[in-house]
Amino acid sequence: MTKEEIFLGNGAVALGLLEGGCQVLTSYPGTPSSEILPEAIRLIRRENLKTYVEWSTNEKVALDNAFAAAAAGKRAACCMKQVGLNVASDSLMSAAYLGTTGGLVIVSCDDPGPHSSQTEQDTRLMARLAKVPVLDPSSPEEARQMAALALELSEEFSVPVILRPAIRVCHARQGLSPGALKDREGPASFQKDPLRWAATPRYRLVLHGELNRKLEAVRKRFEGLSSHNHHDLEAGRRYPLGIIAGGVPWAVVRDILAEEGRGDLPVLKIGTPFPFPEETARLFMDACDKVLVLEEPDAVIEYFLRDGGKVRGRLSGHVPPQGELVPEVIHGILDRVLREDGLTPLSEPGGKEVRDLVMGLELPVRKPTLCPGCPHRASFFAIRKAWPKAIFTSDIGCYTLGLNQGAVDTCLDMGAAITMASGFYQAYRQDGVEQPVVATIGDSTFYHSGTAGLLNAVYNDARFILVILDNLTTAMTGMQPTPGLGIRADGSRGKAVSLERVVRGCGVDFVEVVDPYDVGAMISLLKEAQAHVRDKGIAVIIARHPCVIAYREEAVPRPIRVTVTEECKECNICLDRFGCPALYHDEELGRTALKPHLCNGCGVCIQVCPKGAIVEA
Amino acid sequence: METINFVLSGLGGQGILFMTKVLAQAALKKGCRVMGAETHGMAQRGGSVVSHLRLGDSKGSLVRTGTAHFLLSLDESEAYRNLPFLAPGGALYANAGPRSFPRGEVRAYLEKKGIRWRAMEATRAAVDLGAPLSSNLALLGFFAGSGEGPMGPRDLEETIEMISPERFRNQNLRVFRAGLESAGGV
Ligand code: SF4
Ligand code: SF4
């Protein structure tokens, strides 16, 4: 046996894909999926594989690229977070009909909670909508097995397959024993067949029929897939209550039953929620008087069971309709169901006393904040100061935290800073009101889905200021490179795509670059931009300064030692409108003070204090 | 082997992930089966961060409330916030002033539940060694020096040596040893 190593769940997915012979791997980063591609690159380097990798500009681009590779007979995969699959859904729905020649796996990571997403949507429902098989792992080890299996199934049945690890799989750590990896042979060979690959609606009906037949064949395979769909019924025995569970909730409930010594409650694990293994489930249902379904984040298995009288789950109100099914929640659900049925309850979990105790302590709420020295903070301060009455549309990234400075009013989806800005503008202009709007979007988000909205705004004569917060990286998800840098996923050189040129190419005439660390310069540029907006059209300001985490040295080349003096008059502007975590209100001193160990010496706060109380020491 | 549950808490940026990694890696070397859960994403920007680590045969990665043997916290408030995880008879290690920790009402609860506690000023120790962002290693040393858990100080030290990035290796080891010393376990 090879040596055991600790893998992040996303690393286990990467390992499984490579073990399954993945030749092409694309991704757009998004929590909780972001580490899959970097982990794959680590393994590809270590094992000297030829697998092609790329950070694609968005999820649809990632899926289309992987699809083409699979149409050419290769084994390919693309990785994204669950809301990324929304972006890629246009591609997914159609790819299901066209099918594959090689293997195509779409890894879409769910976020029950949600911990780092705008929704708690369930990828399994998306799989059902698109009519593609979906595998639901309960642990990193199972995710690894399923990733390889998904590639094989996809190739065997010529259908894309979704792997849906939830956040507790993606960000779990587990010891695994990786074997040696080797490249899969098989050159690209696309067989032209326009009837299929460029199918018209007429032929799409034929393809739909084909897809339905494939799904039926896959379902039959799933019925016998005892490694991922299994139960512990004893033949001939009847049970008052059984549990059907999938994914992480299965792992949780297994642990609870083991701790409680509850061999009297059989469990059916469903690792393949679609196409649903009807016969396996029927067999289990028949042996149980009642069944409790535990799944995340939505109801899927429960719908497929179609027996409202017998089944307890989200639809029956036994399982909460939102929020993560953490162990104490599952413990509570199971305990209530057992009591309702007059069965032996679980052991008393206690905990009320300590919860009340903690509640009574009135602990400080720890809001996420931008890092000390973050250039976005300086930008938001300037924006807010220059245009206090504007509507501030923003977007998805670290800079959503501009919320804390009152400089972010909206955050809808990737790219909506721009599209909502034009939407607001037009809605007001209709009433004859010129409402100032300042949109903020990050560089990576702009490349992802900014251009279509910007083109639209220019074309339809919307007027607003767009500030592109260019910190030369995709910070929130772990510092992936952007197209602006010209560095590719594997570290090799690509061609840098200039933000300025893209913006000009969208038809914008006012494009200026400023370093937001120079607050005064940024404010005067914002004022200048407003004049252009009034008379001519959209103005774009690129606020460019490297992220302090991604580029420690370059971001603050000459750290300034700052101190707060007696001049502080407690106006709290620095705390309320700027809010660097290194500054705080010191009760004893009766003024703002500095936590030197958090300060990285950017010196921006010196420009922020209206009383000149923050100075270089 | 009965599953041993750890919960590690603190604020984003304090190095909870690295601390979890060290414990997990050291446990693996001891032959334990390892399962853990981490916080990534938005909360890493200074929000409350919690890591779970389970040594043994567990299938799930999350520790259920009331079942943690150890709670290690890099922040006093986060230690209190995560008290519900601790099992009776468990142990709490916190980055806090040993004289003032824990607050009165918390002390009464811990005593009643037979939960042991120890506090050290891990941030100060790290700052004193010129490594202000390494309070995680100081607290880890402090925990190791208290002689608890399946991994001894040597196991943890070797792991830190192995997995630290080159340029932080010596500094990490120095801070870890300072923690160890302050626990009286050198
Ligand atoms: S430091 Fe300046 S801005 Fe902050 S409270 Fe004092 S006077 Fe006001
Ligand atoms: S110099 Fe001021 S703004 Fe910059 S990190 Fe230090 S306290 Fe924060």
Side-chain angles (χ1 to χ4, degrees), chain A residues 217-531:
Chain A
V218 175
R219 184 190 64 79
K220 290 219 173 82
R221 172 69 56 86
F222 284 174
E223 299 285 0
L225 196 66
S226 58
S227 45
H228 304 292
N229 297 326
H230 49 75
H231 61 73
D232 50 5
L233 291 179
E234 284 168 33
R237 186 169 160 189
R238 273 212 73 73
Y239 299 86
L241 180 71
I243 297 167
I244 302 184
V248 174
W250 174 80
V252 171
V253 80
R254 279 258 54 124
D255 282 345
I256 291 174
L257 295 177
E259 283 158 25
E260 301 266 339
R262 295 300 293 261
D264 60 321
L265 298 170
V267 181
L268 167 64
K269 176 185 186 306
I270 300 281
T272 64
F274 182 77
F276 190 65
E278 305 264 354
E279 291 158 33
T280 309
R282 182 56 49 202
L283 194 112
F284 186 85
M285 290 273 281
D286 286 346
C288 304
D289 297 335
K290 294 266 161 54
V291 160
L292 170 65
V293 180
L294 295 167
E295 56 184 328
E296 252 179 354
D298 211 326
V300 172
I301 296 173
E302 200 179 344
Y303 278 116
F304 284 124
L305 290 174
R306 291 184 304 225
D307 190 345
K310 204 167 183 176
V311 178
R312 279 83 180 287
R314 292 182 197 274
L315 305 178
S316 70
H318 289 83
V319 176
Q322 69 275 312
E324 190 179 9
L325 296 182
V326 292
E328 48 277 18
V329 170
I330 290 189
H331 192 275
I333 294 167
L334 180 56
D335 189 55
R336 271 193 303 281
V337 168
L338 287 166
R339 285 173 198 274
E340 198 179 300
D341 290 351
L343 302 169
T344 318
L346 299 179
S347 62
E348 176 56 42
K352 180 163 173 7
E353 181 188 358
V354 64
R355 280 198 304 275
D356 290 346
L357 169 70
V358 173
M359 194 80 89
L361 296 175
E362 294 181 357
L363 299 171
V365 181
R366 257 51 192 272
K367 283 190 300 195
T369 51
L370 296 167
C371 302
C374 173
H376 299 333
R377 179 179 290 105
S379 291
F380 284 124
F381 179 80
I383 290 169
R384 180 67 217 218
K385 182 138 179 160
W387 298 108
K389 296 223 163 59
I391 295 177
F392 304 112
T393 61
S394 192
D395 227 295
I396 294 175
C398 285
Y399 51 90
T400 312
L401 297 172
L403 271 171
N404 299 340
Q405 288 167 264
V408 168
D409 293 325
T410 69
C411 172
L412 177 67
D413 61 43
M414 293 288 278
I418 299 173
T419 39
M420 282 190 70
S422 55
F424 277 128
Y425 176 79
Q426 306 289 19
Y428 278 89
R429 181 155 70 179
Q430 187 173 41
D431 306 340
V433 180
E434 292 287 324
Q435 167 65 41
V437 182
V438 181
T440 45
I441 190 169
D443 47 342
S444 183
T445 308
F446 180 77
Y447 287 113
H448 177 284
S449 49
T451 48
L454 187 55
L455 275 169
N456 172 70
V458 170
Y459 164 55
N460 287 302
D461 194 29
R463 305 284 182 93
F464 56 89
I465 299 175
L466 169 61
V467 181
I468 303 181
L469 303 163
D470 183 7
N471 60 359
L472 310 170
T473 189
T474 318
M476 177 59 98
T477 50
M479 316 302 164
Q480 295 80 11
T482 71
L485 293 180
I487 297 166
R488 301 172 67 196
D490 59 0
S492 66
R493 286 223 69 85
K495 185 167 160 61
V497 180
S498 147
L499 208 47
E500 291 88 318
R501 281 173 64 181
V502 174
V503 172
R504 282 188 199 287
C506 289
V508 177
D509 298 322
F510 185 106
V511 186
E512 296 289 339
V513 182
V514 66
D515 181 345
Y517 269 23
D518 188 340
V519 176
M522 173 110 179
I523 291 176
S524 30
L525 192 55
L526 279 158
K527 300 232 154 116
E528 202 184 305
Q530 189 61 14

Side-chain angles (χ1 to χ4, degrees), chain A residues 564 567-574 592 609-611 613-614:
Chain A
V564 186
E567 297 301 310
C568 173
K569 299 289 179 292
E570 287 189 81
C571 67
N572 286 345
I573 284 178
C574 59
T592 295
C609 175
K611 309 284 190 272
I614 307 183

Side-chain angles (χ1 to χ4, degrees), chain A residues 580-594:
Chain A
C580 174
L583 297 170
Y584 70 104
H585 186 261
D586 191 311
E587 299 292 339
E588 267 165 49
L589 294 174
R591 61 170 166 85
T592 295
L594 182 86

